[in-house]
């Protein structure tokens, strides 16, 4: 998930009552909810390095066992050498509660990451297997809304903080209301939710406690995740039966989410030699809620030597490790071979996107140097 979602979930846990257990509880929860993403620094090394390292070591079982102790130690050092030096009358932070809260916040991070289709390697460094929840899109505004309601209610007290929340609110509202693929019921629902957050900020404190609001929002978030998961579980077998009736053999169906639209699923049906793409729209009735969304693409369950040579290219080490639903376009050239690689979760054309790359090979299947002006990896 995006770091705004992780941060709001950490802050939500604090407002749900956990911040009362020790000083620096809120800071530990917000930092811990983001801490495994320290591997984001590898993004500066390039997109393939990012695919190779992200959601690996820092998200795996060994790091998850060590991070709480690291974070607790850092928080205690800050408490002793900075916070209480500035004001010696402040109560000291408590190591035990800090360790417990740090553990909870840090575990929330891979739990959220697991929910989307990108994947997370939970067993690293012992096993590089990717795990997928196929429930949420990487950026989900409904998580922002439900996790952020109580946080805004508690934090928007000064002009500076209110200005910051207003900017964030305008930006997130634009992301939901401007794109044409978000249906009007979702836009209306977002407007109602945003109005409720504003009401809670101005009037809610007179009738409701922040902790109660956080508890209700937490229940709402769990119900939302359950509804999304249930929708996917319903859509996948229906799509499989629908395609089979059309004569398209299907081995399994992956029901993925779409950005900001909880009423639609992006279904990828994996056949013996092709991928089929189906859109399930729960706002449509009957069989009309299932429609083909993109032309089917070839699948290579057993890639030949040309494809294997392309995947062995050093600059595709990360992509080759991350691919889940790959498709390949092999073209013979004067020099040898051109191999275009896509992962159909995020890229279904030669126009680029996450999971897209091009490799040039000579007739002996050796890697050719990139041609000036040619597209290679995106």
């Amino acid at each position: 998930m995006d770091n705004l979602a992780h941060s709001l979930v950490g802050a939500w846990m604090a407002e749900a009552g956990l911040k009362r257990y020790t000083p620096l509880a809120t800071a530990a929860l917000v930092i811990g909810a983001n801490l495994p993403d320290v591997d984001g620094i590898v993004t500066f090394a390039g997109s393939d390095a990012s695919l190779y390292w992200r959601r690996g070591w820092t998200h795996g079982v060994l790091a998850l066992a060590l991070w709480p102790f690291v974070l607790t130690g850092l928080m205690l050092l800050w408490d002793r050498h900075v916070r209480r030096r500035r004001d010696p009358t402040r109560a000291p932070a408590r190591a035990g509660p800090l360790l417990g809260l740090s553990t909870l916040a840090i575990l929330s991070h891979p739990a959220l990451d697991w929910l989307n289709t990108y994947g997370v390697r939970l067993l690293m460094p012992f096993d590089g297997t990717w795990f997928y929840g196929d429930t949420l899109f990487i950026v989900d505004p409904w998580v922002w809304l439900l996790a952020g309601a109580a946080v805004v209610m508690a934090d928007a007290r000064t002009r500076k903080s209110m200005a910051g929340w207003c900017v964030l609110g305008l930006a997130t509202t634009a992301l939901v209301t401007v794109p044409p693929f978000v249906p009007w019921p979702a836009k209306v629902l977002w407007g109602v939710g945003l109005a409720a957050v504003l009401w809670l900020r101005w009037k809610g404190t007179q009738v409701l406690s922040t902790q109660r609001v956080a508890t209700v929002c937490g229940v709402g978030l769990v119900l939302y995740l359950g509804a999304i998961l249930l929708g996917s579980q319903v859509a996948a077998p229906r799509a499989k039966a629908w395609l089979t009736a059309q004569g398209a053999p299907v081995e399994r169906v992956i029901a993925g989410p779409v950005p900001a639209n909880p009423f639609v699923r992006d279904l990828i049906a994996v056949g013996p030699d092709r991928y089929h793409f189906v859109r399930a729209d729960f706002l449509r009735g009957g069989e009309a809620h299932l429609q083909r969304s993109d032309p089917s693409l070839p699948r290579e369950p057993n890639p030949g030597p040309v494809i294997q040579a392309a995947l062995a290219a050093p600059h595709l080490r990360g992509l080759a490790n991350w691919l889940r639903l790959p498709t390949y376009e092999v073209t013979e050239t004067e020099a040898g071979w051109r191999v275009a690689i896509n992962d159909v979760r995020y890229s279904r054309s030669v126009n680029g996107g996450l999971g897209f790359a091009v490799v040039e090979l000579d007739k002996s299947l050796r890697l050719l140097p990139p041609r000036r002006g040619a597209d290679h990896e995106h």
Side-chain angles (χ1 to χ4, degrees), residues 214-231:
T215 301
V216 172
C217 288
V219 172
L221 182 58
V222 172
L223 291 176
Y224 167 69
L225 295 177
I228 294 293
L229 181 60
L230 179 61

Side-chain angles (χ1 to χ4, degrees), residues 50 97 177 239 328 342 367:
S50 179
T177 58
Y328 311 96
N342 289 276
L367 186 66

Side-chain angles (χ1 to χ4, degrees), residues 348-372:
R348 296 172 189 176
S349 71
V350 295
N351 295 324
L354 182 61
F356 171 74
V358 172
V359 179
E360 301 274 359
L361 302 169
D362 65 16
K363 294 187 181 296
S364 299
L365 302 185
R366 291 174 299 191
L367 186 66
L368 290 172
R371 293 177 298 169
R372 183 173 297 180

